[in-house]
Amino acid sequence: MEKNRITVKTTIPSPTEKVWEYYTEPKHITNWNFASNDWCCPAATNNLQKDGDFNYRMEAKDGSMGFDFSGKYTKVIPMKLIAYNLADGRTVEVIFSNHGNEVEISQTFETEGTHTVEQQKNGWQAILNNFKTYVSSK
C-alpha cells in the first residue's frame, strides 16, 4: 500500500547556519517543537548523523497527555538535508534551501492512520511556523 505524503514549508529570513543550528540543537528544539501554546517539548536528544537516534518529548502543559517523537537518521547533509525514519516506520525528509538572505525549509512526511490528513498537515505546519517565530525572535 502506498503511503500518503504531505509537504509543509516555511521561509525564514536568517542565515543558513543559524537556521540549521536552531533546528538541530536540543537547547533550541525544546523552545519551538510543539504545535500550540498549550503544549511543550520539555526534553530533546539528538545524535545528528547517519544511523543516529533522536527523541523529542512532547507534552500537554496541563499534564493530560504526552508522547515521544523519535526515530533514526538515514541521511544527513549539513545545512542541506535531513532524512529519517520515525519509530513507527514512516519516513520524513527535510530540505534546507538557501535563497540569499533567507532559508526555505521543506518537510515531506508520510501520514499515519490515526489523524486526518488535514489534521496532520496543520499540525506539522504549526510546528514549522513555531520554529520560524522562534528563529526570527532571536
Side-chain angles (χ1 to χ4, degrees), residues 32-36 58 69 107 121-133:
W32 61 262
N33 193 38
F34 39 90
S36 62
M58 301 172 88
F69 183 83
Q107 290 180 325
K121 182 176 184 176
N122 291 342
W124 283 65
Q125 185 67 58
I127 293 169
L128 202 51
N129 293 346
N130 206 29
F131 175 70
K132 179 179 181 173
T133 299

Side-chain angles (χ1 to χ4, degrees), residues 101-115:
N101 295 326
E102 55 187 28
V103 179
E104 180 186 76
I105 298 177
S106 174
Q107 290 180 325
T108 301
F109 64 95
E110 291 179 330
T111 59
E112 40 88 351
T114 305
H115 300 91

Side-chain angles (χ1 to χ4, degrees), residues 6 11 13-14 18 27-30 32-33 35 42 47 51-52 67 71 75 88 90 97 105 120 131:
I6 296 173
T11 301
S14 292
K18 178 181 177 182
K27 68 181 180 183
H28 294 295
I29 294 167
T30 56
W32 61 262
N33 193 38
N47 182 9
D51 296 323
F67 63 94
K75 188 172 187 177
D88 65 10
R90 294 181 295 138
S97 302
I105 298 177
Q120 292 176 70
F131 175 70

